[in-house]
PDB file of all heavy atoms in Angstrom:
ATOM      1  N   GLY A 325      25.597  10.359  10.362  1.00  0.00           N
ATOM      2  CA  GLY A 325      26.534   9.925   9.327  1.00  0.00           C
ATOM      3  C   GLY A 325      27.743   9.230   9.920  1.00  0.00           C
ATOM      4  O   GLY A 325      28.242   8.245   9.375  1.00  0.00           O
ATOM      5  N   VAL A 326      28.215   9.733  11.067  1.00  0.00           N
ATOM      6  CA  VAL A 326      29.354   9.120  11.758  1.00  0.00           C
ATOM      7  C   VAL A 326      28.925   7.780  12.340  1.00  0.00           C
ATOM      8  O   VAL A 326      29.649   6.776  12.251  1.00  0.00           O
ATOM      9  CB  VAL A 326      29.875  10.044  12.875  1.00  0.00           C
ATOM     10  CG1 VAL A 326      30.953   9.333  13.696  1.00  0.00           C
ATOM     11  CG2 VAL A 326      30.432  11.333  12.282  1.00  0.00           C
ATOM     12  N   ASN A 327      27.748   7.771  12.934  1.00  0.00           N
ATOM     13  CA  ASN A 327      27.229   6.535  13.532  1.00  0.00           C
ATOM     14  C   ASN A 327      27.079   5.439  12.483  1.00  0.00           C
ATOM     15  O   ASN A 327      27.361   4.265  12.728  1.00  0.00           O
ATOM     16  CB  ASN A 327      25.874   6.821  14.177  1.00  0.00           C
ATOM     17  CG  ASN A 327      25.385   5.679  15.033  1.00  0.00           C
ATOM     18  OD1 ASN A 327      26.039   5.273  16.002  1.00  0.00           O
ATOM     19  ND2 ASN A 327      24.234   5.143  14.694  1.00  0.00           N
ATOM     20  N   SER A 328      26.657   5.842  11.284  1.00  0.00           N
ATOM     21  CA  SER A 328      26.481   4.881  10.192  1.00  0.00           C
ATOM     22  C   SER A 328      27.819   4.245   9.801  1.00  0.00           C
ATOM     23  O   SER A 328      27.903   3.029   9.570  1.00  0.00           O
ATOM     24  CB  SER A 328      25.867   5.583   8.981  1.00  0.00           C
ATOM     25  OG  SER A 328      25.749   4.701   7.886  1.00  0.00           O
ATOM     26  N   VAL A 329      28.897   5.056   9.736  1.00  0.00           N
ATOM     27  CA  VAL A 329      30.221   4.536   9.389  1.00  0.00           C
ATOM     28  C   VAL A 329      30.721   3.584  10.481  1.00  0.00           C
ATOM     29  O   VAL A 329      31.303   2.534  10.198  1.00  0.00           O
ATOM     30  CB  VAL A 329      31.227   5.701   9.201  1.00  0.00           C
ATOM     31  CG1 VAL A 329      32.639   5.147   8.985  1.00  0.00           C
ATOM     32  CG2 VAL A 329      30.812   6.563   8.020  1.00  0.00           C
ATOM     33  N   LEU A 330      30.494   3.955  11.739  1.00  0.00           N
ATOM     34  CA  LEU A 330      30.911   3.100  12.860  1.00  0.00           C
ATOM     35  C   LEU A 330      30.271   1.717  12.761  1.00  0.00           C
ATOM     36  O   LEU A 330      30.930   0.696  12.973  1.00  0.00           O
ATOM     37  CB  LEU A 330      30.519   3.755  14.187  1.00  0.00           C
ATOM     38  CG  LEU A 330      31.330   4.974  14.632  1.00  0.00           C
ATOM     39  CD1 LEU A 330      30.643   5.659  15.801  1.00  0.00           C
ATOM     40  CD2 LEU A 330      32.746   4.559  15.033  1.00  0.00           C
ATOM     41  N   ASN A 331      28.992   1.695  12.430  1.00  0.00           N
ATOM     42  CA  ASN A 331      28.279   0.426  12.325  1.00  0.00           C
ATOM     43  C   ASN A 331      28.710  -0.360  11.093  1.00  0.00           C
ATOM     44  O   ASN A 331      28.949  -1.567  11.153  1.00  0.00           O
ATOM     45  CB  ASN A 331      26.767   0.671  12.277  1.00  0.00           C
ATOM     46  CG  ASN A 331      26.228   1.206  13.591  1.00  0.00           C
ATOM     47  OD1 ASN A 331      26.793   0.944  14.659  1.00  0.00           O
ATOM     48  ND2 ASN A 331      25.148   1.965  13.528  1.00  0.00           N
ATOM     49  N   LYS A 332      28.800   0.348   9.953  1.00  0.00           N
ATOM     50  CA  LYS A 332      29.133  -0.310   8.695  1.00  0.00           C
ATOM     51  C   LYS A 332      30.521  -0.929   8.719  1.00  0.00           C
ATOM     52  O   LYS A 332      30.736  -2.057   8.249  1.00  0.00           O
ATOM     53  CB  LYS A 332      29.024   0.693   7.541  1.00  0.00           C
ATOM     54  CG  LYS A 332      29.215   0.095   6.173  1.00  0.00           C
ATOM     55  CD  LYS A 332      28.999   1.140   5.089  1.00  0.00           C
ATOM     56  CE  LYS A 332      29.166   0.530   3.706  1.00  0.00           C
ATOM     57  NZ  LYS A 332      28.957   1.552   2.636  1.00  0.00           N
ATOM     58  N   LYS A 333      31.490  -0.215   9.297  1.00  0.00           N
ATOM     59  CA  LYS A 333      32.869  -0.697   9.330  1.00  0.00           C
ATOM     60  C   LYS A 333      33.220  -1.412  10.632  1.00  0.00           C
ATOM     61  O   LYS A 333      34.374  -1.793  10.847  1.00  0.00           O
ATOM     62  CB  LYS A 333      33.831   0.468   9.101  1.00  0.00           C
ATOM     63  CG  LYS A 333      33.687   1.098   7.718  1.00  0.00           C
ATOM     64  CD  LYS A 333      34.765   2.147   7.470  1.00  0.00           C
ATOM     65  CE  LYS A 333      34.669   2.704   6.060  1.00  0.00           C
ATOM     66  NZ  LYS A 333      35.746   3.700   5.778  1.00  0.00           N
ATOM     67  N   LYS A 334      32.213  -1.581  11.478  1.00  0.00           N
ATOM     68  CA  LYS A 334      32.392  -2.281  12.752  1.00  0.00           C
ATOM     69  C   LYS A 334      33.548  -1.692  13.567  1.00  0.00           C
ATOM     70  O   LYS A 334      34.455  -2.404  14.005  1.00  0.00           O
ATOM     71  CB  LYS A 334      32.619  -3.782  12.511  1.00  0.00           C
ATOM     72  CG  LYS A 334      31.440  -4.458  11.811  1.00  0.00           C
ATOM     73  CD  LYS A 334      31.681  -5.929  11.587  1.00  0.00           C
ATOM     74  CE  LYS A 334      30.492  -6.581  10.879  1.00  0.00           C
ATOM     75  NZ  LYS A 334      30.713  -8.026  10.644  1.00  0.00           N
ATOM     76  N   LEU A 335      33.489  -0.375  13.745  1.00  0.00           N
ATOM     77  CA  LEU A 335      34.565   0.333  14.444  1.00  0.00           C
ATOM     78  C   LEU A 335      34.237   0.617  15.911  1.00  0.00           C
ATOM     79  O   LEU A 335      35.016   1.275  16.596  1.00  0.00           O
ATOM     80  CB  LEU A 335      34.852   1.658  13.729  1.00  0.00           C
ATOM     81  CG  LEU A 335      35.420   1.527  12.307  1.00  0.00           C
ATOM     82  CD1 LEU A 335      35.550   2.906  11.679  1.00  0.00           C
ATOM     83  CD2 LEU A 335      36.763   0.818  12.337  1.00  0.00           C
ATOM     84  N   ARG A 336      33.123   0.140  16.402  1.00  0.00           N
ATOM     85  CA  ARG A 336      32.777   0.373  17.796  1.00  0.00           C
ATOM     86  C   ARG A 336      33.759  -0.371  18.706  1.00  0.00           C
ATOM     87  O   ARG A 336      34.253  -1.433  18.359  1.00  0.00           O
ATOM     88  CB  ARG A 336      31.347  -0.058  18.091  1.00  0.00           C
ATOM     89  CG  ARG A 336      30.337   0.809  17.353  1.00  0.00           C
ATOM     90  CD  ARG A 336      28.916   0.491  17.771  1.00  0.00           C
ATOM     91  NE  ARG A 336      27.989   1.411  17.131  1.00  0.00           N
ATOM     92  CZ  ARG A 336      27.710   2.623  17.557  1.00  0.00           C
ATOM     93  NH1 ARG A 336      28.301   3.079  18.657  1.00  0.00           N
ATOM     94  NH2 ARG A 336      26.869   3.402  16.918  1.00  0.00           N
ATOM     95  N   SER A 337      34.011   0.222  19.866  1.00  0.00           N
ATOM     96  CA  SER A 337      34.973  -0.373  20.794  1.00  0.00           C
ATOM     97  C   SER A 337      34.447  -0.263  22.222  1.00  0.00           C
ATOM     98  O   SER A 337      33.691   0.658  22.558  1.00  0.00           O
ATOM     99  CB  SER A 337      36.322   0.349  20.693  1.00  0.00           C
ATOM    100  OG  SER A 337      37.201  -0.087  21.710  1.00  0.00           O
ATOM    101  N   GLN A 338      34.835  -1.209  23.074  1.00  0.00           N
ATOM    102  CA  GLN A 338      34.454  -1.155  24.485  1.00  0.00           C
ATOM    103  C   GLN A 338      35.356  -0.178  25.241  1.00  0.00           C
ATOM    104  O   GLN A 338      35.096   0.154  26.402  1.00  0.00           O
ATOM    105  CB  GLN A 338      34.544  -2.548  25.104  1.00  0.00           C
ATOM    106  CG  GLN A 338      33.525  -3.523  24.510  1.00  0.00           C
ATOM    107  CD  GLN A 338      33.607  -4.906  25.138  1.00  0.00           C
ATOM    108  OE1 GLN A 338      34.564  -5.225  25.841  1.00  0.00           O
ATOM    109  NE2 GLN A 338      32.591  -5.710  24.897  1.00  0.00           N
ATOM    110  N   ASN A 339      36.399   0.270  24.580  1.00  0.00           N
ATOM    111  CA  ASN A 339      37.303   1.250  25.178  1.00  0.00           C
ATOM    112  C   ASN A 339      36.829   2.651  24.786  1.00  0.00           C
ATOM    113  O   ASN A 339      36.785   3.001  23.609  1.00  0.00           O
ATOM    114  CB  ASN A 339      38.734   1.015  24.677  1.00  0.00           C
ATOM    115  CG  ASN A 339      39.736   1.928  25.353  1.00  0.00           C
ATOM    116  OD1 ASN A 339      39.668   3.136  25.209  1.00  0.00           O
ATOM    117  ND2 ASN A 339      40.674   1.339  26.081  1.00  0.00           N
ATOM    118  N   LYS A 340      36.464   3.447  25.780  1.00  0.00           N
ATOM    119  CA  LYS A 340      35.904   4.773  25.516  1.00  0.00           C
ATOM    120  C   LYS A 340      36.863   5.666  24.716  1.00  0.00           C
ATOM    121  O   LYS A 340      36.456   6.362  23.795  1.00  0.00           O
ATOM    122  CB  LYS A 340      35.562   5.472  26.832  1.00  0.00           C
ATOM    123  CG  LYS A 340      34.469   4.798  27.633  1.00  0.00           C
ATOM    124  CD  LYS A 340      34.192   5.598  28.897  1.00  0.00           C
ATOM    125  CE  LYS A 340      33.150   4.924  29.769  1.00  0.00           C
ATOM    126  NZ  LYS A 340      32.887   5.706  30.997  1.00  0.00           N
ATOM    127  N   GLU A 341      38.149   5.646  25.093  1.00  0.00           N
ATOM    128  CA  GLU A 341      39.108   6.529  24.437  1.00  0.00           C
ATOM    129  C   GLU A 341      39.305   6.158  22.976  1.00  0.00           C
ATOM    130  O   GLU A 341      39.412   7.013  22.102  1.00  0.00           O
ATOM    131  CB  GLU A 341      40.451   6.502  25.189  1.00  0.00           C
ATOM    132  CG  GLU A 341      40.361   7.005  26.623  1.00  0.00           C
ATOM    133  CD  GLU A 341      39.681   8.368  26.717  1.00  0.00           C
ATOM    134  OE1 GLU A 341      40.028   9.259  25.915  1.00  0.00           O
ATOM    135  OE2 GLU A 341      38.812   8.541  27.588  1.00  0.00           O
ATOM    136  N   ILE A 342      39.378   4.849  22.697  1.00  0.00           N
ATOM    137  CA  ILE A 342      39.514   4.393  21.311  1.00  0.00           C
ATOM    138  C   ILE A 342      38.279   4.802  20.512  1.00  0.00           C
ATOM    139  O   ILE A 342      38.380   5.256  19.360  1.00  0.00           O
ATOM    140  CB  ILE A 342      39.705   2.862  21.256  1.00  0.00           C
ATOM    141  CG1 ILE A 342      41.067   2.479  21.845  1.00  0.00           C
ATOM    142  CG2 ILE A 342      39.566   2.355  19.822  1.00  0.00           C
ATOM    143  CD1 ILE A 342      41.318   0.982  21.887  1.00  0.00           C
ATOM    144  N   PHE A 343      37.116   4.666  21.129  1.00  0.00           N
ATOM    145  CA  PHE A 343      35.871   5.037  20.456  1.00  0.00           C
ATOM    146  C   PHE A 343      35.886   6.521  20.093  1.00  0.00           C
ATOM    147  O   PHE A 343      35.533   6.911  18.972  1.00  0.00           O
ATOM    148  CB  PHE A 343      34.680   4.731  21.372  1.00  0.00           C
ATOM    149  CG  PHE A 343      33.338   4.996  20.736  1.00  0.00           C
ATOM    150  CD1 PHE A 343      32.702   4.019  19.990  1.00  0.00           C
ATOM    151  CD2 PHE A 343      32.717   6.235  20.871  1.00  0.00           C
ATOM    152  CE1 PHE A 343      31.470   4.259  19.406  1.00  0.00           C
ATOM    153  CE2 PHE A 343      31.493   6.486  20.286  1.00  0.00           C
ATOM    154  CZ  PHE A 343      30.859   5.498  19.555  1.00  0.00           C
ATOM    155  N   LYS A 344      36.299   7.367  21.026  1.00  0.00           N
ATOM    156  CA  LYS A 344      36.349   8.812  20.784  1.00  0.00           C
ATOM    157  C   LYS A 344      37.309   9.145  19.644  1.00  0.00           C
ATOM    158  O   LYS A 344      37.019  10.006  18.796  1.00  0.00           O
ATOM    159  CB  LYS A 344      36.766   9.544  22.056  1.00  0.00           C
ATOM    160  CG  LYS A 344      35.737   9.512  23.174  1.00  0.00           C
ATOM    161  CD  LYS A 344      36.277  10.217  24.416  1.00  0.00           C
ATOM    162  CE  LYS A 344      35.296  10.166  25.563  1.00  0.00           C
ATOM    163  NZ  LYS A 344      35.831  10.804  26.790  1.00  0.00           N
ATOM    164  N   VAL A 345      38.455   8.460  19.623  1.00  0.00           N
ATOM    165  CA  VAL A 345      39.445   8.704  18.563  1.00  0.00           C
ATOM    166  C   VAL A 345      38.876   8.324  17.206  1.00  0.00           C
ATOM    167  O   VAL A 345      39.066   9.045  16.207  1.00  0.00           O
ATOM    168  CB  VAL A 345      40.744   7.912  18.847  1.00  0.00           C
ATOM    169  CG1 VAL A 345      41.669   7.963  17.630  1.00  0.00           C
ATOM    170  CG2 VAL A 345      41.456   8.480  20.067  1.00  0.00           C
ATOM    171  N   ARG A 346      38.172   7.214  17.137  1.00  0.00           N
ATOM    172  CA  ARG A 346      37.588   6.766  15.873  1.00  0.00           C
ATOM    173  C   ARG A 346      36.513   7.732  15.391  1.00  0.00           C
ATOM    174  O   ARG A 346      36.401   8.007  14.189  1.00  0.00           O
ATOM    175  CB  ARG A 346      37.027   5.360  16.030  1.00  0.00           C
ATOM    176  CG  ARG A 346      38.122   4.302  16.137  1.00  0.00           C
ATOM    177  CD  ARG A 346      37.560   2.923  16.396  1.00  0.00           C
ATOM    178  NE  ARG A 346      38.619   1.918  16.407  1.00  0.00           N
ATOM    179  CZ  ARG A 346      38.443   0.641  16.745  1.00  0.00           C
ATOM    180  NH1 ARG A 346      37.234   0.209  17.101  1.00  0.00           N
ATOM    181  NH2 ARG A 346      39.461  -0.201  16.728  1.00  0.00           N
ATOM    182  N   VAL A 347      35.715   8.246  16.315  1.00  0.00           N
ATOM    183  CA  VAL A 347      34.687   9.227  15.957  1.00  0.00           C
ATOM    184  C   VAL A 347      35.354  10.475  15.378  1.00  0.00           C
ATOM    185  O   VAL A 347      34.933  11.006  14.347  1.00  0.00           O
ATOM    186  CB  VAL A 347      33.830   9.601  17.185  1.00  0.00           C
ATOM    187  CG1 VAL A 347      32.965  10.830  16.874  1.00  0.00           C
ATOM    188  CG2 VAL A 347      32.938   8.434  17.587  1.00  0.00           C
ATOM    189  N   ALA A 348      36.410  10.931  16.053  1.00  0.00           N
ATOM    190  CA  ALA A 348      37.139  12.121  15.589  1.00  0.00           C
ATOM    191  C   ALA A 348      37.750  11.889  14.211  1.00  0.00           C
ATOM    192  O   ALA A 348      37.740  12.782  13.349  1.00  0.00           O
ATOM    193  CB  ALA A 348      38.226  12.486  16.594  1.00  0.00           C
ATOM    194  N   GLN A 349      38.285  10.672  13.981  1.00  0.00           N
ATOM    195  CA  GLN A 349      38.898  10.347  12.699  1.00  0.00           C
ATOM    196  C   GLN A 349      37.856  10.352  11.582  1.00  0.00           C
ATOM    197  O   GLN A 349      38.103  10.872  10.480  1.00  0.00           O
ATOM    198  CB  GLN A 349      39.568   8.974  12.774  1.00  0.00           C
ATOM    199  CG  GLN A 349      40.292   8.546  11.500  1.00  0.00           C
ATOM    200  CD  GLN A 349      41.445   9.476  11.163  1.00  0.00           C
ATOM    201  OE1 GLN A 349      42.331   9.679  11.989  1.00  0.00           O
ATOM    202  NE2 GLN A 349      41.432  10.042   9.950  1.00  0.00           N
ATOM    203  N   ILE A 350      36.680   9.792  11.858  1.00  0.00           N
ATOM    204  CA  ILE A 350      35.611   9.761  10.854  1.00  0.00           C
ATOM    205  C   ILE A 350      35.146  11.173  10.535  1.00  0.00           C
ATOM    206  O   ILE A 350      34.926  11.536   9.372  1.00  0.00           O
ATOM    207  CB  ILE A 350      34.423   8.900  11.351  1.00  0.00           C
ATOM    208  CG1 ILE A 350      34.856   7.439  11.497  1.00  0.00           C
ATOM    209  CG2 ILE A 350      33.237   9.012  10.380  1.00  0.00           C
ATOM    210  CD1 ILE A 350      33.833   6.562  12.179  1.00  0.00           C
ATOM    211  N   GLU A 351      35.010  11.992  11.594  1.00  0.00           N
ATOM    212  CA  GLU A 351      34.617  13.391  11.394  1.00  0.00           C
ATOM    213  C   GLU A 351      35.627  14.100  10.494  1.00  0.00           C
ATOM    214  O   GLU A 351      35.262  14.838   9.575  1.00  0.00           O
ATOM    215  CB  GLU A 351      34.540  14.108  12.753  1.00  0.00           C
ATOM    216  CG  GLU A 351      33.377  13.668  13.636  1.00  0.00           C
ATOM    217  CD  GLU A 351      32.103  14.414  13.298  1.00  0.00           C
ATOM    218  OE1 GLU A 351      32.051  15.073  12.239  1.00  0.00           O
ATOM    219  OE2 GLU A 351      31.149  14.324  14.089  1.00  0.00           O
ATOM    220  N   LEU A 352      36.919  13.876  10.762  1.00  0.00           N
ATOM    221  CA  LEU A 352      37.977  14.510   9.978  1.00  0.00           C
ATOM    222  C   LEU A 352      37.941  14.037   8.527  1.00  0.00           C
ATOM    223  O   LEU A 352      38.034  14.841   7.597  1.00  0.00           O
ATOM    224  CB  LEU A 352      39.339  14.212  10.597  1.00  0.00           C
ATOM    225  CG  LEU A 352      40.572  14.800   9.888  1.00  0.00           C
ATOM    226  CD1 LEU A 352      40.451  16.319   9.843  1.00  0.00           C
ATOM    227  CD2 LEU A 352      41.853  14.365  10.587  1.00  0.00           C
ATOM    228  N   ASP A 353      37.807  12.731   8.336  1.00  0.00           N
ATOM    229  CA  ASP A 353      37.761  12.167   6.982  1.00  0.00           C
ATOM    230  C   ASP A 353      36.605  12.766   6.183  1.00  0.00           C
ATOM    231  O   ASP A 353      36.755  13.096   5.001  1.00  0.00           O
ATOM    232  CB  ASP A 353      37.607  10.647   7.040  1.00  0.00           C
ATOM    233  CG  ASP A 353      38.873   9.951   7.527  1.00  0.00           C
ATOM    234  OD1 ASP A 353      39.935  10.601   7.523  1.00  0.00           O
ATOM    235  OD2 ASP A 353      38.792   8.774   7.926  1.00  0.00           O
ATOM    236  N   GLN A 354      35.451  12.900   6.841  1.00  0.00           N
ATOM    237  CA  GLN A 354      34.284  13.425   6.149  1.00  0.00           C
ATOM    238  C   GLN A 354      34.451  14.905   5.805  1.00  0.00           C
ATOM    239  O   GLN A 354      33.990  15.367   4.759  1.00  0.00           O
ATOM    240  CB  GLN A 354      33.033  13.192   6.999  1.00  0.00           C
ATOM    241  CG  GLN A 354      32.665  11.711   7.114  1.00  0.00           C
ATOM    242  CD  GLN A 354      31.376  11.473   7.879  1.00  0.00           C
ATOM    243  OE1 GLN A 354      30.880  12.344   8.594  1.00  0.00           O
ATOM    244  NE2 GLN A 354      30.828  10.274   7.746  1.00  0.00           N
ATOM    245  N   LYS A 355      35.131  15.658   6.677  1.00  0.00           N
ATOM    246  CA  LYS A 355      35.395  17.076   6.393  1.00  0.00           C
ATOM    247  C   LYS A 355      36.357  17.224   5.217  1.00  0.00           C
ATOM    248  O   LYS A 355      36.176  18.084   4.352  1.00  0.00           O
ATOM    249  CB  LYS A 355      35.975  17.755   7.626  1.00  0.00           C
ATOM    250  CG  LYS A 355      34.952  18.023   8.726  1.00  0.00           C
ATOM    251  CD  LYS A 355      35.579  18.740   9.909  1.00  0.00           C
ATOM    252  CE  LYS A 355      34.545  19.015  10.997  1.00  0.00           C
ATOM    253  NZ  LYS A 355      35.148  19.691  12.168  1.00  0.00           N
TER     254      LYS A 355
END
Side-chain angles (χ1 to χ4, degrees):
V326 173
N327 191 59
S328 177
V329 174
L330 287 169
N331 292 333
K332 186 176 181 180
K333 296 186 176 182
K334 299 180 180 180
L335 294 175
R336 294 187 175 278
S337 172
Q338 294 181 347
N339 185 297
K340 295 181 183 180
E341 298 309 314
I342 292 177
F343 184 88
K344 291 177 182 178
V345 170
R346 288 176 176 173
V347 168
Q349 182 63 56
I350 295 171
E351 290 275 13
L352 180 59
D353 289 344
Q354 292 184 343
K355 285 182 179 179

